[in-house]
Amino acid sequence: MSAFSEAALERKLSELSNSQQSVQTLSLWLIHHRKHSALIVSVWERELRKAKPNRKLTFLYLANDVIQNSKRKGPEFTKDFAPVIVEAFKHVSSESDESCKKHLGRVLSIWEERSVYENDVLEQLRQALYGDRKVRKRTYEQIKVDESNCSPRSSPTDPPQTTDLIRALQELENAASGDAAVHQRIASLPIEVQDVSLLDRITDKESGEQLSKMVDDACMLLADYNGRLAAEIDDRKQLTRMLSDFLRCQKEFLAEKEHKLELLLQVVDMDLSSNDVTIH
C-alpha cells in the first residue's frame, strides 16, 4: 500500500466517492496506517467540514467502516473518533435533507445494535440527530388501545406496505452472497496469496514487490466483499423485522374481521330465530 502522509490522506479524501468500493478501499488503507489514527481523525474532521453538503454523508460512511472493521486490530480509531463523532453527526445533520438524516439514523441504529460506543455517547448521537425530542412512555391502557386498532392502514409500529416488502426483496436479488462474478474472482486468486509456504520462492526484490501487490489486490477484493456481506446481513435483518411486523398486523387484522363476522352471524341467527317464532 502507498506510504502515509497528511498530503496523501487529504488527496484520498478529496477523491472519495459515495460508492461502496471507494469507501471500503480507503477504509482499508486507513486501517493499515492505524498508528496514525489521531492525525487521520483530525484531518477527516477538517475535510468533512470543508466538503460539499452532498459529500458529507460519505465521510460518515467512511468513519463507520473504519470504526467497525478496525476493532479486531485495536481500539485506536474507536477511541480517537469518540471526541469528534457527536459534533460530526450534528454538523452533517444540520446541512442535510430528510433523506440523508434517515441514512444517518441507520448508521446510528447499527452502532446501537452492535454497542460500538457506550450508552452516553450513543445518547449524545441521538440528540445530535433528533434533537432533544424524547419518547414518552405510554401507559398499559394506551398500548392496549393501539393494539386493538391495528389494521393494514394503521398500526402502532407502522407496518410496511406490500410495495415496501417487494422493493426490499428485489434489492436482495443483487446481494453480495449471490454475486457469482466475485465468487469466481475470489476462487481464482493466485495460490501465492493463500499459501505462506510459497514465500520461499521469493528470490529477489522484484518478485517480492510483485507478490506484495498481489496480496494488496486480494485484500482489497476481500475487504470490499466483506463489507458488502455485512451490509447484506443488515438488510436481511431489516427485512426480517419488516416481515414480522407485516405478518403480526395481518394476523391481528384477520382476527378482528373474524370476530366481527362471528358477531354478524350471531345477529343473523337471532333474526332467523325471531322470524321462526313469528311464523308459528
Side-chain angles (χ1 to χ4, degrees):
M1 291 187 178
S2 58
F4 177 85
S5 70
E6 187 170 341
L9 174 57
E10 289 176 352
R11 185 181 69 255
K12 288 180 179 293
L13 287 171
S14 70
E15 295 170 350
L16 179 66
S17 74
N18 62 358
S19 72
Q20 193 173 44
Q21 182 173 358
S22 177
V23 170
Q24 290 172 350
T25 299
L26 181 50
S27 172
L28 184 66
W29 187 80
L30 295 177
I31 293 170
H32 180 73
H33 295 291
R34 62 187 179 279
K35 65 181 180 181
H36 303 288
S37 62
L39 176 58
I40 288 171
V41 171
S42 175
V43 174
W44 173 88
E45 183 186 24
R46 184 181 71 217
E47 297 302 309
L48 164 67
R49 293 183 179 278
K50 288 163 54 178
K52 294 180 180 179
N54 62 351
R55 296 188 66 241
K56 292 182 185 294
L57 180 61
T58 307
F59 275 71
L60 279 175
Y61 280 158
L62 175 64
N64 171 56
D65 200 278
V66 170
I67 290 169
Q68 293 203 64
N69 291 315
S70 66
K71 288 179 73 174
R72 62 180 179 273
K73 294 190 176 182
E76 299 96 332
F77 281 109
T78 305
K79 176 172 144 301
D80 289 332
F81 267 110
V84 304
I85 201 66
V86 173
E87 288 303 316
F89 253 71
K90 196 177 297 184
H91 171 73
V92 176
S93 177
S94 67
E95 298 195 9
S96 303
D97 56 20
E98 288 304 314
S99 175
C100 181
K101 288 180 181 178
K102 287 181 181 179
H103 291 294
L104 284 174
R106 185 180 179 190
V107 172
L108 177 55
S109 295
I110 292 171
W111 289 2
E112 291 174 331
E113 198 173 287
R114 299 179 182 177
S115 300
V116 172
Y117 281 112
E118 298 295 330
N119 286 335
D120 60 331
V121 176
L122 294 173
E123 179 58 32
Q124 290 178 58
L125 289 170
R126 278 191 289 270
Q127 290 188 10
L129 186 56
Y130 302 116
D132 293 326
R133 182 175 72 192
K134 294 185 177 179
V135 179
R136 291 182 303 171
K137 292 184 177 180
R138 298 182 298 165
T139 64
Y140 175 78
E141 290 75 14
Q142 289 173 318
I143 293 173
K144 294 304 290 181
V145 168
D146 282 346
E147 288 177 347
S148 66
N149 290 333
C150 184
S151 71
R153 292 186 180 181
S154 174
S155 80
T157 53
D158 293 329
Q161 298 298 310
T162 307
T163 52
D164 296 327
L165 290 172
I166 292 173
R167 189 182 305 111
L169 288 167
Q170 288 174 334
E171 289 175 354
L172 285 176
E173 289 180 0
N174 298 318
S177 61
D179 193 334
V182 173
H183 293 172
Q184 182 58 39
R185 288 179 63 192
I186 293 174
S188 302
L189 287 173
I191 189 64
E192 288 82 359
V193 305
Q194 307 175 45
D195 191 345
V196 178
S197 66
L198 297 179
L199 289 174
D200 295 336
R201 296 183 183 180
I202 299 176
T203 57
D204 52 39
K205 181 179 179 180
E206 183 179 350
S207 60
E209 290 178 346
Q210 184 179 4
L211 177 60
S212 177
K213 184 178 184 307
M214 290 166 58
V215 171
D216 282 349
D217 290 344
C219 284
M220 287 189 179
L221 172 63
L222 293 173
D224 177 65
Y225 188 57
N226 182 59
R228 291 176 59 201
L229 286 174
E232 179 184 340
I233 290 172
D234 290 333
D235 289 341
R236 289 186 182 278
K237 286 181 179 178
Q238 176 66 19
L239 178 58
T240 299
R241 288 192 289 267
M242 291 170 66
L243 288 169
S244 177
D245 288 342
F246 185 80
L247 182 60
R248 172 186 54 76
C249 236
Q250 290 299 315
K251 285 181 177 179
E252 292 176 357
F253 179 65
L254 179 60
E256 180 186 348
K257 292 302 180 184
E258 287 177 342
H259 179 63
K260 289 182 177 179
L261 180 59
E262 288 175 2
L263 293 176
L264 181 60
L265 289 174
Q266 289 176 12
V267 171
V268 171
D269 287 341
M270 290 175 63
D271 287 344
L272 290 174
S273 297
S274 175
N275 289 336
D276 288 342
V277 170
T278 302
I279 291 172
H280 291 300

PDB file of all heavy atoms in Angstrom, residues 126-158:
ATOM      1  N   ARG A 126     -27.887  10.416  19.434  1.00  0.00           N
ATOM      2  CA  ARG A 126     -29.336  10.504  19.209  1.00  0.00           C
ATOM      3  C   ARG A 126     -29.807  11.947  19.300  1.00  0.00           C
ATOM      4  O   ARG A 126     -30.613  12.406  18.485  1.00  0.00           O
ATOM      5  CB  ARG A 126     -30.085   9.631  20.228  1.00  0.00           C
ATOM      6  CG  ARG A 126     -30.151   8.162  19.880  1.00  0.00           C
ATOM      7  CD  ARG A 126     -31.119   7.413  20.784  1.00  0.00           C
ATOM      8  NE  ARG A 126     -30.614   7.286  22.134  1.00  0.00           N
ATOM      9  CZ  ARG A 126     -29.871   6.291  22.580  1.00  0.00           C
ATOM     10  NH1 ARG A 126     -29.540   5.324  21.760  1.00  0.00           N
ATOM     11  NH2 ARG A 126     -29.463   6.250  23.834  1.00  0.00           N
ATOM     12  N   GLN A 127     -29.307  12.680  20.294  1.00  0.00           N
ATOM     13  CA  GLN A 127     -29.709  14.076  20.448  1.00  0.00           C
ATOM     14  C   GLN A 127     -29.166  14.932  19.307  1.00  0.00           C
ATOM     15  O   GLN A 127     -29.835  15.863  18.857  1.00  0.00           O
ATOM     16  CB  GLN A 127     -29.215  14.606  21.790  1.00  0.00           C
ATOM     17  CG  GLN A 127     -29.953  14.007  22.990  1.00  0.00           C
ATOM     18  CD  GLN A 127     -29.592  14.683  24.296  1.00  0.00           C
ATOM     19  OE1 GLN A 127     -28.930  15.713  24.308  1.00  0.00           O
ATOM     20  NE2 GLN A 127     -30.035  14.102  25.403  1.00  0.00           N
ATOM     21  N   ALA A 128     -27.956  14.606  18.843  1.00  0.00           N
ATOM     22  CA  ALA A 128     -27.380  15.355  17.720  1.00  0.00           C
ATOM     23  C   ALA A 128     -28.215  15.174  16.462  1.00  0.00           C
ATOM     24  O   ALA A 128     -28.372  16.104  15.661  1.00  0.00           O
ATOM     25  CB  ALA A 128     -25.943  14.885  17.461  1.00  0.00           C
ATOM     26  N   LEU A 129     -28.777  13.979  16.303  1.00  0.00           N
ATOM     27  CA  LEU A 129     -29.552  13.674  15.099  1.00  0.00           C
ATOM     28  C   LEU A 129     -31.017  14.072  15.225  1.00  0.00           C
ATOM     29  O   LEU A 129     -31.603  14.620  14.289  1.00  0.00           O
ATOM     30  CB  LEU A 129     -29.435  12.179  14.793  1.00  0.00           C
ATOM     31  CG  LEU A 129     -30.062  11.675  13.488  1.00  0.00           C
ATOM     32  CD1 LEU A 129     -29.504  12.432  12.289  1.00  0.00           C
ATOM     33  CD2 LEU A 129     -29.817  10.186  13.323  1.00  0.00           C
ATOM     34  N   TYR A 130     -31.604  13.820  16.390  1.00  0.00           N
ATOM     35  CA  TYR A 130     -33.044  14.036  16.553  1.00  0.00           C
ATOM     36  C   TYR A 130     -33.394  15.222  17.465  1.00  0.00           C
ATOM     37  O   TYR A 130     -34.568  15.500  17.681  1.00  0.00           O
ATOM     38  CB  TYR A 130     -33.695  12.768  17.130  1.00  0.00           C
ATOM     39  CG  TYR A 130     -33.476  11.543  16.286  1.00  0.00           C
ATOM     40  CD1 TYR A 130     -32.752  10.454  16.778  1.00  0.00           C
ATOM     41  CD2 TYR A 130     -33.966  11.466  14.984  1.00  0.00           C
ATOM     42  CE1 TYR A 130     -32.544   9.321  16.011  1.00  0.00           C
ATOM     43  CE2 TYR A 130     -33.764  10.340  14.212  1.00  0.00           C
ATOM     44  CZ  TYR A 130     -33.051   9.268  14.724  1.00  0.00           C
ATOM     45  OH  TYR A 130     -32.834   8.153  13.951  1.00  0.00           O
ATOM     46  N   GLY A 131     -32.383  15.886  18.019  1.00  0.00           N
ATOM     47  CA  GLY A 131     -32.663  16.978  18.936  1.00  0.00           C
ATOM     48  C   GLY A 131     -32.984  16.443  20.318  1.00  0.00           C
ATOM     49  O   GLY A 131     -32.663  15.308  20.657  1.00  0.00           O
ATOM     50  N   ASP A 132     -33.639  17.263  21.130  1.00  0.00           N
ATOM     51  CA  ASP A 132     -33.972  16.865  22.497  1.00  0.00           C
ATOM     52  C   ASP A 132     -35.291  16.122  22.582  1.00  0.00           C
ATOM     53  O   ASP A 132     -35.842  15.927  23.652  1.00  0.00           O
ATOM     54  CB  ASP A 132     -34.048  18.103  23.407  1.00  0.00           C
ATOM     55  CG  ASP A 132     -32.685  18.741  23.561  1.00  0.00           C
ATOM     56  OD1 ASP A 132     -31.695  17.990  23.560  1.00  0.00           O
ATOM     57  OD2 ASP A 132     -32.616  19.978  23.668  1.00  0.00           O
ATOM     58  N   ARG A 133     -35.797  15.736  21.409  1.00  0.00           N
ATOM     59  CA  ARG A 133     -37.062  15.013  21.371  1.00  0.00           C
ATOM     60  C   ARG A 133     -36.939  13.720  22.155  1.00  0.00           C
ATOM     61  O   ARG A 133     -36.029  12.929  21.946  1.00  0.00           O
ATOM     62  CB  ARG A 133     -37.398  14.711  19.909  1.00  0.00           C
ATOM     63  CG  ARG A 133     -38.704  14.003  19.702  1.00  0.00           C
ATOM     64  CD  ARG A 133     -38.946  13.878  18.208  1.00  0.00           C
ATOM     65  NE  ARG A 133     -38.053  12.911  17.607  1.00  0.00           N
ATOM     66  CZ  ARG A 133     -37.907  12.782  16.307  1.00  0.00           C
ATOM     67  NH1 ARG A 133     -38.542  13.588  15.489  1.00  0.00           N
ATOM     68  NH2 ARG A 133     -37.113  11.866  15.795  1.00  0.00           N
ATOM     69  N   LYS A 134     -37.859  13.476  23.089  1.00  0.00           N
ATOM     70  CA  LYS A 134     -37.842  12.265  23.898  1.00  0.00           C
ATOM     71  C   LYS A 134     -39.119  11.473  23.675  1.00  0.00           C
ATOM     72  O   LYS A 134     -40.192  12.036  23.496  1.00  0.00           O
ATOM     73  CB  LYS A 134     -37.690  12.596  25.383  1.00  0.00           C
ATOM     74  CG  LYS A 134     -36.339  13.218  25.717  1.00  0.00           C
ATOM     75  CD  LYS A 134     -36.196  13.401  27.202  1.00  0.00           C
ATOM     76  CE  LYS A 134     -34.825  13.965  27.553  1.00  0.00           C
ATOM     77  NZ  LYS A 134     -34.663  14.167  28.997  1.00  0.00           N
ATOM     78  N   VAL A 135     -38.971  10.171  23.719  1.00  0.00           N
ATOM     79  CA  VAL A 135     -40.129   9.297  23.537  1.00  0.00           C
ATOM     80  C   VAL A 135     -40.858   9.176  24.866  1.00  0.00           C
ATOM     81  O   VAL A 135     -40.269   8.759  25.873  1.00  0.00           O
ATOM     82  CB  VAL A 135     -39.681   7.895  23.059  1.00  0.00           C
ATOM     83  CG1 VAL A 135     -40.899   6.997  22.905  1.00  0.00           C
ATOM     84  CG2 VAL A 135     -38.926   8.008  21.740  1.00  0.00           C
ATOM     85  N   ARG A 136     -42.121   9.566  24.881  1.00  0.00           N
ATOM     86  CA  ARG A 136     -42.893   9.484  26.116  1.00  0.00           C
ATOM     87  C   ARG A 136     -43.324   8.050  26.376  1.00  0.00           C
ATOM     88  O   ARG A 136     -43.760   7.347  25.465  1.00  0.00           O
ATOM     89  CB  ARG A 136     -44.139  10.377  26.023  1.00  0.00           C
ATOM     90  CG  ARG A 136     -43.836  11.860  26.006  1.00  0.00           C
ATOM     91  CD  ARG A 136     -45.113  12.654  25.951  1.00  0.00           C
ATOM     92  NE  ARG A 136     -45.913  12.292  24.791  1.00  0.00           N
ATOM     93  CZ  ARG A 136     -47.161  12.705  24.591  1.00  0.00           C
ATOM     94  NH1 ARG A 136     -47.747  13.470  25.483  1.00  0.00           N
ATOM     95  NH2 ARG A 136     -47.820  12.344  23.507  1.00  0.00           N
ATOM     96  N   LYS A 137     -43.218   7.625  27.630  1.00  0.00           N
ATOM     97  CA  LYS A 137     -43.661   6.279  27.968  1.00  0.00           C
ATOM     98  C   LYS A 137     -45.183   6.249  27.968  1.00  0.00           C
ATOM     99  O   LYS A 137     -45.848   7.134  28.490  1.00  0.00           O
ATOM    100  CB  LYS A 137     -43.141   5.875  29.352  1.00  0.00           C
ATOM    101  CG  LYS A 137     -41.630   5.689  29.373  1.00  0.00           C
ATOM    102  CD  LYS A 137     -41.173   5.197  30.723  1.00  0.00           C
ATOM    103  CE  LYS A 137     -39.679   4.947  30.735  1.00  0.00           C
ATOM    104  NZ  LYS A 137     -39.219   4.463  32.054  1.00  0.00           N
ATOM    105  N   ARG A 138     -45.734   5.176  27.375  1.00  0.00           N
ATOM    106  CA  ARG A 138     -47.184   5.055  27.296  1.00  0.00           C
ATOM    107  C   ARG A 138     -47.685   4.131  28.403  1.00  0.00           C
ATOM    108  O   ARG A 138     -46.991   3.225  28.836  1.00  0.00           O
ATOM    109  CB  ARG A 138     -47.603   4.497  25.933  1.00  0.00           C
ATOM    110  CG  ARG A 138     -47.222   5.390  24.770  1.00  0.00           C
ATOM    111  CD  ARG A 138     -47.691   4.814  23.462  1.00  0.00           C
ATOM    112  NE  ARG A 138     -47.075   3.522  23.203  1.00  0.00           N
ATOM    113  CZ  ARG A 138     -47.519   2.667  22.290  1.00  0.00           C
ATOM    114  NH1 ARG A 138     -48.577   2.948  21.576  1.00  0.00           N
ATOM    115  NH2 ARG A 138     -46.898   1.513  22.107  1.00  0.00           N
ATOM    116  N   THR A 139     -48.904   4.384  28.847  1.00  0.00           N
ATOM    117  CA  THR A 139     -49.499   3.526  29.860  1.00  0.00           C
ATOM    118  C   THR A 139     -49.905   2.210  29.215  1.00  0.00           C
ATOM    119  O   THR A 139     -50.014   2.082  27.993  1.00  0.00           O
ATOM    120  CB  THR A 139     -50.754   4.180  30.455  1.00  0.00           C
ATOM    121  OG1 THR A 139     -51.741   4.319  29.415  1.00  0.00           O
ATOM    122  CG2 THR A 139     -50.425   5.549  31.035  1.00  0.00           C
ATOM    123  N   TYR A 140     -50.155   1.216  30.072  1.00  0.00           N
ATOM    124  CA  TYR A 140     -50.586  -0.090  29.591  1.00  0.00           C
ATOM    125  C   TYR A 140     -51.902   0.036  28.819  1.00  0.00           C
ATOM    126  O   TYR A 140     -52.087  -0.591  27.771  1.00  0.00           O
ATOM    127  CB  TYR A 140     -50.764  -1.044  30.777  1.00  0.00           C
ATOM    128  CG  TYR A 140     -51.317  -2.393  30.393  1.00  0.00           C
ATOM    129  CD1 TYR A 140     -50.503  -3.361  29.818  1.00  0.00           C
ATOM    130  CD2 TYR A 140     -52.665  -2.698  30.596  1.00  0.00           C
ATOM    131  CE1 TYR A 140     -51.015  -4.591  29.457  1.00  0.00           C
ATOM    132  CE2 TYR A 140     -53.180  -3.931  30.249  1.00  0.00           C
ATOM    133  CZ  TYR A 140     -52.352  -4.877  29.683  1.00  0.00           C
ATOM    134  OH  TYR A 140     -52.861  -6.092  29.312  1.00  0.00           O
ATOM    135  N   GLU A 141     -52.806   0.878  29.323  1.00  0.00           N
ATOM    136  CA  GLU A 141     -54.099   1.046  28.652  1.00  0.00           C
ATOM    137  C   GLU A 141     -53.925   1.641  27.251  1.00  0.00           C
ATOM    138  O   GLU A 141     -54.612   1.233  26.306  1.00  0.00           O
ATOM    139  CB  GLU A 141     -55.012   1.954  29.493  1.00  0.00           C
ATOM    140  CG  GLU A 141     -55.503   1.332  30.785  1.00  0.00           C
ATOM    141  CD  GLU A 141     -54.420   1.288  31.854  1.00  0.00           C
ATOM    142  OE1 GLU A 141     -53.385   1.979  31.677  1.00  0.00           O
ATOM    143  OE2 GLU A 141     -54.618   0.573  32.848  1.00  0.00           O
ATOM    144  N   GLN A 142     -52.993   2.611  27.106  1.00  0.00           N
ATOM    145  CA  GLN A 142     -52.762   3.210  25.788  1.00  0.00           C
ATOM    146  C   GLN A 142     -52.209   2.189  24.808  1.00  0.00           C
ATOM    147  O   GLN A 142     -52.585   2.176  23.633  1.00  0.00           O
ATOM    148  CB  GLN A 142     -51.795   4.386  25.916  1.00  0.00           C
ATOM    149  CG  GLN A 142     -52.380   5.601  26.591  1.00  0.00           C
ATOM    150  CD  GLN A 142     -51.320   6.662  26.830  1.00  0.00           C
ATOM    151  OE1 GLN A 142     -50.201   6.373  27.231  1.00  0.00           O
ATOM    152  NE2 GLN A 142     -51.674   7.894  26.568  1.00  0.00           N
ATOM    153  N   ILE A 143     -51.313   1.336  25.293  1.00  0.00           N
ATOM    154  CA  ILE A 143     -50.730   0.311  24.420  1.00  0.00           C
ATOM    155  C   ILE A 143     -51.812  -0.651  23.954  1.00  0.00           C
ATOM    156  O   ILE A 143     -51.882  -1.028  22.789  1.00  0.00           O
ATOM    157  CB  ILE A 143     -49.612  -0.448  25.157  1.00  0.00           C
ATOM    158  CG1 ILE A 143     -48.440   0.495  25.419  1.00  0.00           C
ATOM    159  CG2 ILE A 143     -49.142  -1.655  24.354  1.00  0.00           C
ATOM    160  CD1 ILE A 143     -47.349  -0.098  26.301  1.00  0.00           C
ATOM    161  N   LYS A 144     -52.707  -1.065  24.877  1.00  0.00           N
ATOM    162  CA  LYS A 144     -53.782  -1.995  24.517  1.00  0.00           C
ATOM    163  C   LYS A 144     -54.729  -1.386  23.496  1.00  0.00           C
ATOM    164  O   LYS A 144     -55.190  -2.053  22.579  1.00  0.00           O
ATOM    165  CB  LYS A 144     -54.563  -2.421  25.767  1.00  0.00           C
ATOM    166  CG  LYS A 144     -53.765  -3.246  26.757  1.00  0.00           C
ATOM    167  CD  LYS A 144     -53.170  -4.487  26.140  1.00  0.00           C
ATOM    168  CE  LYS A 144     -54.221  -5.513  25.788  1.00  0.00           C
ATOM    169  NZ  LYS A 144     -53.644  -6.742  25.205  1.00  0.00           N
ATOM    170  N   VAL A 145     -55.014  -0.082  23.629  1.00  0.00           N
ATOM    171  CA  VAL A 145     -55.884   0.596  22.670  1.00  0.00           C
ATOM    172  C   VAL A 145     -55.230   0.611  21.297  1.00  0.00           C
ATOM    173  O   VAL A 145     -55.859   0.337  20.279  1.00  0.00           O
ATOM    174  CB  VAL A 145     -56.189   2.041  23.128  1.00  0.00           C
ATOM    175  CG1 VAL A 145     -56.845   2.832  21.998  1.00  0.00           C
ATOM    176  CG2 VAL A 145     -57.094   2.013  24.355  1.00  0.00           C
ATOM    177  N   ASP A 146     -53.932   0.915  21.246  1.00  0.00           N
ATOM    178  CA  ASP A 146     -53.216   0.931  19.973  1.00  0.00           C
ATOM    179  C   ASP A 146     -53.248  -0.438  19.306  1.00  0.00           C
ATOM    180  O   ASP A 146     -53.436  -0.560  18.111  1.00  0.00           O
ATOM    181  CB  ASP A 146     -51.752   1.345  20.186  1.00  0.00           C
ATOM    182  CG  ASP A 146     -51.619   2.846  20.362  1.00  0.00           C
ATOM    183  OD1 ASP A 146     -52.594   3.545  20.049  1.00  0.00           O
ATOM    184  OD2 ASP A 146     -50.553   3.299  20.807  1.00  0.00           O
ATOM    185  N   GLU A 147     -53.033  -1.494  20.113  1.00  0.00           N
ATOM    186  CA  GLU A 147     -53.002  -2.831  19.550  1.00  0.00           C
ATOM    187  C   GLU A 147     -54.355  -3.238  18.994  1.00  0.00           C
ATOM    188  O   GLU A 147     -54.459  -3.885  17.963  1.00  0.00           O
ATOM    189  CB  GLU A 147     -52.561  -3.833  20.632  1.00  0.00           C
ATOM    190  CG  GLU A 147     -51.079  -3.706  20.987  1.00  0.00           C
ATOM    191  CD  GLU A 147     -50.682  -4.653  22.099  1.00  0.00           C
ATOM    192  OE1 GLU A 147     -51.602  -5.221  22.754  1.00  0.00           O
ATOM    193  OE2 GLU A 147     -49.471  -4.819  22.334  1.00  0.00           O
ATOM    194  N   SER A 148     -55.445  -2.822  19.677  1.00  0.00           N
ATOM    195  CA  SER A 148     -56.780  -3.192  19.214  1.00  0.00           C
ATOM    196  C   SER A 148     -57.154  -2.472  17.938  1.00  0.00           C
ATOM    197  O   SER A 148     -58.037  -2.906  17.207  1.00  0.00           O
ATOM    198  CB  SER A 148     -57.820  -2.886  20.304  1.00  0.00           C
ATOM    199  OG  SER A 148     -57.895  -1.478  20.502  1.00  0.00           O
ATOM    200  N   ASN A 149     -56.476  -1.347  17.647  1.00  0.00           N
ATOM    201  CA  ASN A 149     -56.759  -0.589  16.428  1.00  0.00           C
ATOM    202  C   ASN A 149     -55.861  -0.972  15.262  1.00  0.00           C
ATOM    203  O   ASN A 149     -55.879  -0.346  14.223  1.00  0.00           O
ATOM    204  CB  ASN A 149     -56.580   0.913  16.685  1.00  0.00           C
ATOM    205  CG  ASN A 149     -57.659   1.459  17.589  1.00  0.00           C
ATOM    206  OD1 ASN A 149     -58.761   0.915  17.631  1.00  0.00           O
ATOM    207  ND2 ASN A 149     -57.336   2.501  18.336  1.00  0.00           N
ATOM    208  N   CYS A 150     -55.050  -2.026  15.422  1.00  0.00           N
ATOM    209  CA  CYS A 150     -54.104  -2.406  14.373  1.00  0.00           C
ATOM    210  C   CYS A 150     -54.841  -2.885  13.134  1.00  0.00           C
ATOM    211  O   CYS A 150     -55.763  -3.688  13.204  1.00  0.00           O
ATOM    212  CB  CYS A 150     -53.193  -3.517  14.897  1.00  0.00           C
ATOM    213  SG  CYS A 150     -51.919  -3.990  13.740  1.00  0.00           S
ATOM    214  N   SER A 151     -54.424  -2.371  11.986  1.00  0.00           N
ATOM    215  CA  SER A 151     -55.013  -2.755  10.699  1.00  0.00           C
ATOM    216  C   SER A 151     -53.974  -2.522   9.633  1.00  0.00           C
ATOM    217  O   SER A 151     -52.936  -1.917   9.883  1.00  0.00           O
ATOM    218  CB  SER A 151     -56.259  -1.912  10.417  1.00  0.00           C
ATOM    219  OG  SER A 151     -55.862  -0.592  10.115  1.00  0.00           O
ATOM    220  N   PRO A 152     -54.204  -2.982   8.363  1.00  0.00           N
ATOM    221  CA  PRO A 152     -53.223  -2.753   7.310  1.00  0.00           C
ATOM    222  C   PRO A 152     -52.935  -1.282   7.095  1.00  0.00           C
ATOM    223  O   PRO A 152     -51.905  -0.924   6.568  1.00  0.00           O
ATOM    224  CB  PRO A 152     -53.887  -3.386   6.083  1.00  0.00           C
ATOM    225  CG  PRO A 152     -54.792  -4.427   6.651  1.00  0.00           C
ATOM    226  CD  PRO A 152     -55.312  -3.831   7.922  1.00  0.00           C
ATOM    227  N   ARG A 153     -53.845  -0.395   7.483  1.00  0.00           N
ATOM    228  CA  ARG A 153     -53.638   1.036   7.239  1.00  0.00           C
ATOM    229  C   ARG A 153     -53.069   1.758   8.447  1.00  0.00           C
ATOM    230  O   ARG A 153     -52.509   2.813   8.323  1.00  0.00           O
ATOM    231  CB  ARG A 153     -54.972   1.683   6.855  1.00  0.00           C
ATOM    232  CG  ARG A 153     -55.484   1.216   5.510  1.00  0.00           C
ATOM    233  CD  ARG A 153     -56.719   1.985   5.134  1.00  0.00           C
ATOM    234  NE  ARG A 153     -57.245   1.557   3.852  1.00  0.00           N
ATOM    235  CZ  ARG A 153     -58.322   2.078   3.271  1.00  0.00           C
ATOM    236  NH1 ARG A 153     -58.988   3.040   3.889  1.00  0.00           N
ATOM    237  NH2 ARG A 153     -58.741   1.630   2.109  1.00  0.00           N
ATOM    238  N   SER A 154     -53.301   1.182   9.658  1.00  0.00           N
ATOM    239  CA  SER A 154     -52.867   1.894  10.864  1.00  0.00           C
ATOM    240  C   SER A 154     -52.441   0.908  11.925  1.00  0.00           C
ATOM    241  O   SER A 154     -53.210   0.037  12.297  1.00  0.00           O
ATOM    242  CB  SER A 154     -54.023   2.755  11.394  1.00  0.00           C
ATOM    243  OG  SER A 154     -53.673   3.338  12.616  1.00  0.00           O
ATOM    244  N   SER A 155     -51.226   1.049  12.430  1.00  0.00           N
ATOM    245  CA  SER A 155     -50.742   0.176  13.485  1.00  0.00           C
ATOM    246  C   SER A 155     -49.755   0.945  14.335  1.00  0.00           C
ATOM    247  O   SER A 155     -49.178   1.929  13.896  1.00  0.00           O
ATOM    248  CB  SER A 155     -50.079  -1.065  12.896  1.00  0.00           C
ATOM    249  OG  SER A 155     -48.772  -0.764  12.485  1.00  0.00           O
ATOM    250  N   PRO A 156     -49.489   0.498  15.581  1.00  0.00           N
ATOM    251  CA  PRO A 156     -48.589   1.239  16.456  1.00  0.00           C
ATOM    252  C   PRO A 156     -47.167   1.282  15.944  1.00  0.00           C
ATOM    253  O   PRO A 156     -46.400   2.137  16.319  1.00  0.00           O
ATOM    254  CB  PRO A 156     -48.678   0.481  17.784  1.00  0.00           C
ATOM    255  CG  PRO A 156     -49.198  -0.874  17.430  1.00  0.00           C
ATOM    256  CD  PRO A 156     -50.077  -0.673  16.262  1.00  0.00           C
ATOM    257  N   THR A 157     -46.781   0.323  15.099  1.00  0.00           N
ATOM    258  CA  THR A 157     -45.407   0.304  14.593  1.00  0.00           C
ATOM    259  C   THR A 157     -45.340   0.624  13.101  1.00  0.00           C
ATOM    260  O   THR A 157     -44.309   0.422  12.484  1.00  0.00           O
ATOM    261  CB  THR A 157     -44.783  -1.079  14.845  1.00  0.00           C
ATOM    262  OG1 THR A 157     -45.640  -2.097  14.302  1.00  0.00           O
ATOM    263  CG2 THR A 157     -44.596  -1.316  16.326  1.00  0.00           C
ATOM    264  N   ASP A 158     -46.421   1.110  12.537  1.00  0.00           N
ATOM    265  CA  ASP A 158     -46.471   1.439  11.115  1.00  0.00           C
ATOM    266  C   ASP A 158     -45.883   0.323  10.265  1.00  0.00           C
ATOM    267  O   ASP A 158     -44.789   0.447   9.713  1.00  0.00           O
ATOM    268  CB  ASP A 158     -45.698   2.739  10.835  1.00  0.00           C
ATOM    269  CG  ASP A 158     -46.380   3.933  11.460  1.00  0.00           C
ATOM    270  OD1 ASP A 158     -47.625   3.896  11.558  1.00  0.00           O
ATOM    271  OD2 ASP A 158     -45.689   4.888  11.833  1.00  0.00           O
TER     272      ASP A 158
END
